[in-house]
Amino acid sequence: MKKVLLVSILLLLIVGTVIAYSVTFSSNPIKSEKIKVVATFYPLAYLAEKIGGERVSVYTLIPYNVEVHDWQPSPSDIITIENSDIIILNGAGLDWWFKSEILPLINTSGKIIVDTTEGLPLILHNNQYDPHTWLSPYMAKLQAEKILSAFIKKDPLGEKYYEERFKEIESKLNEIDEKYLIELENKKKDIIIVSHEAFGYLAERYGFKQIGIIGLSAEEEPSPKLISEIIELMKTYNITTLYFDPIYSDKYVKIIKNELENKLGNVNILKIYLCLGPIDNKDYFEQLEENLESLKKGLVE
Ligand SMILES: [Zn+2]
C-alpha cells in the first residue's frame, strides 16, 4: 500500500473514530454498552450472534451474498474494525486482506482477534488451504468454539450465558452432521459437479468428490467451450445433476441446462448454497440442512 494512502487512512482513522463509533454501534444507545464484534462475513456473524446474544453487537463486514474471495475493505471498514473489541476472521486465506491491509493500521491493544480456523484440520488444495470450512457443520462447530472462547475472555461475567447459548448451536450442528453422515452413507454416486469448488470439507467428511466448473465470473454468458467441457465431464462420470449456488444468475443456469439437455437428455440443476447470506428465506443453518437434501438427490436417489 502506498505511503500517501497509508497516511490518509491513518488520518481517517483518527478523524473517523468518533463518527464510526456512533454510526456503527451507537444507533441504539444500549448497543454501545455491548461487546463490539466485527465478523468478516455472514456465517461467522451468525455464529457470533447466536453465542453472544444480548451481550454483543455484531457487525458483518462483507455484504451478504457477494463473492468473498476478491472482496477488500474500504477505509470506513478499517475505522469500524478500529472501534471494535473482538474481530472474528475465518482465516485459511479467506480474509487474507486483514493481515496485510488492516492489522498494520489498527491499534490492537485491548482487542481480541480470533482466527476461527487456526489449528483446525484444514485441507490443502493446490498448495493453499481450502478456506470453505463453514460449509461443513463439523468444521463450523469447531469455529464456533473459538468464538465462544474469545467472548469469555473479553467478558468473563458472561461465561455462563455464552456457554449455554453455545451448547444450543453445538447440538444443532452435531445433529446436522449426524444427518449428513447417516443419509449420505448409501451413496450410489460419489462425484458432484459444482459451480464453485467450495464443498471440499463436505466431500472429505462424507466421502465424495467435487469437480468445479464455472469459477467465479458467472454473470457472463457461458461460452460454448465451457458447455462442451461440462458435457464431457458429465458423460465421463455418468452424471445427470449439476449444482449451482443461487447467487449465480438464473439466466446463466438456464442456458447451460438447455444446451446440456439438447445433447445429454434429462439434466437436473439443483441448488447448493454457499451460505454467504440469508437467501430464499433460509438462514445459515437452514442452508446447511437444505444442502444435504440437495446432495441426496444427486448422490443417493
Ligand atoms: Zn469460495
Side-chain angles (χ1 to χ4, degrees):
M1 200 180 291
K2 286 198 182 109
K3 252 210 171 117
V4 181
L5 184 58
L6 201 103
V7 170
S8 57
I9 287 174
L10 280 174
L11 266 174
L12 258 173
L13 276 180
I14 297 159
V15 177
T17 297
V18 179
I19 301 165
Y21 184 82
S22 54
V23 170
T24 311
F25 292 109
S26 298
S27 50
N28 172 354
I30 302 162
K31 273 188 177 175
S32 61
E33 288 157 28
K34 299 182 178 186
I35 309 283
K36 295 187 284 294
V37 178
V38 171
T40 50
F41 75 137
Y42 171 66
L44 299 176
Y46 181 96
L47 295 173
E49 270 169 3
K50 290 271 180 202
I51 299 167
E54 298 275 293
R55 298 181 79 90
V56 305
S57 161
V58 181
Y59 180 80
T60 315
L61 272 184
I62 303 179
Y64 292 159
N65 297 314
V66 301
E67 161 47 35
V68 285
H69 301 286
D70 297 327
W71 187 88
Q72 285 191 61
S74 69
S76 72
D77 293 321
I78 299 171
I79 295 162
T80 304
I81 294 168
E82 175 69 305
N83 287 294
S84 66
D85 301 310
I86 299 177
I87 302 153
I88 302 174
L89 308 171
N90 190 73
L94 188 90
D95 18 41
W96 52 273
W97 35 264
F98 182 79
K99 224 178 190 170
S100 59
E101 299 188 14
I102 291 185
L103 204 51
L105 296 175
I106 59 168
N107 175 10
T108 55
S109 90
K111 284 186 182 45
I112 297 181
I113 299 166
V114 196
D115 177 338
T116 57
T117 58
E118 195 181 358
L120 298 196
L122 296 175
I123 296 174
L124 262 177
H125 183 69
N126 298 332
N127 283 326
Q128 287 182 321
Y129 287 123
D130 181 342
H132 302 95
T133 47
W134 69 93
L135 290 166
S136 152
Y138 175 75
M139 295 295 278
K141 182 183 68 182
L142 302 179
Q143 291 183 271
E145 276 173 11
K146 299 276 175 81
I147 297 171
L148 170 68
S149 305
F151 285 180
I152 293 173
K153 193 173 169 194
K154 184 77 200 170
D155 176 25
L157 286 177
E159 180 168 359
K160 232 186 138 207
Y161 178 82
Y162 296 132
E163 270 175 353
E164 267 166 23
R165 296 181 65 93
F166 170 78
K167 280 201 184 99
E168 275 173 41
I169 61 164
E170 183 187 40
S171 64
K172 183 68 195 168
L173 286 168
N174 280 339
E175 185 192 302
I176 300 174
D177 178 43
E178 276 290 302
K179 233 175 134 191
Y180 268 83
L181 284 167
I182 292 165
E183 296 185 12
L184 290 178
E185 210 182 338
N186 300 315
K187 288 182 287 294
K188 294 199 183 86
K189 292 191 170 140
D190 63 359
I191 291 174
I192 60 166
I193 300 186
V194 288
S195 47
H196 170 49
E197 282 190 349
F199 303 92
Y201 290 92
L202 293 181
E204 186 192 54
R205 185 161 176 84
Y206 309 114
F208 59 90
K209 292 188 193 74
Q210 63 169 347
I211 298 175
I213 41 165
I214 314 289
L216 301 171
S217 56
E219 292 313 309
E220 298 157 29
E221 295 255 306
S223 68
K225 184 171 169 281
L226 174 69
I227 302 278
S228 65
E229 280 170 6
I230 299 173
I231 289 172
E232 280 316 303
L233 272 175
M234 295 180 80
K235 275 188 189 161
T236 308
Y237 297 105
N238 186 28
I239 287 168
T240 53
T241 304
L242 262 184
Y243 288 97
F244 269 91
D245 182 274
I247 62 174
Y248 290 94
S249 89
D250 248 19
K251 190 180 155 207
Y252 189 83
V253 176
K254 277 180 191 148
I255 293 170
I256 289 187
K257 184 174 164 75
N258 286 340
E259 293 283 333
L260 291 179
E261 286 192 329
N262 286 339
K263 298 188 175 86
L264 292 174
N266 191 37
V267 169
N268 301 314
I269 303 237
L270 298 178
K271 280 182 189 177
I272 192 158
Y273 294 104
L274 292 171
C275 306
L276 299 176
I279 194 165
D280 294 346
N281 279 322
K282 290 181 178 58
D283 70 12
Y284 173 30
F285 285 0
E286 289 165 339
Q287 290 174 46
L288 291 181
E289 289 180 301
E290 198 58 36
N291 281 353
L292 172 60
E293 295 311 311
S294 183
L295 286 169
K296 275 158 60 183
K297 286 187 187 126
L299 295 171
V300 182
E301 284 165 20

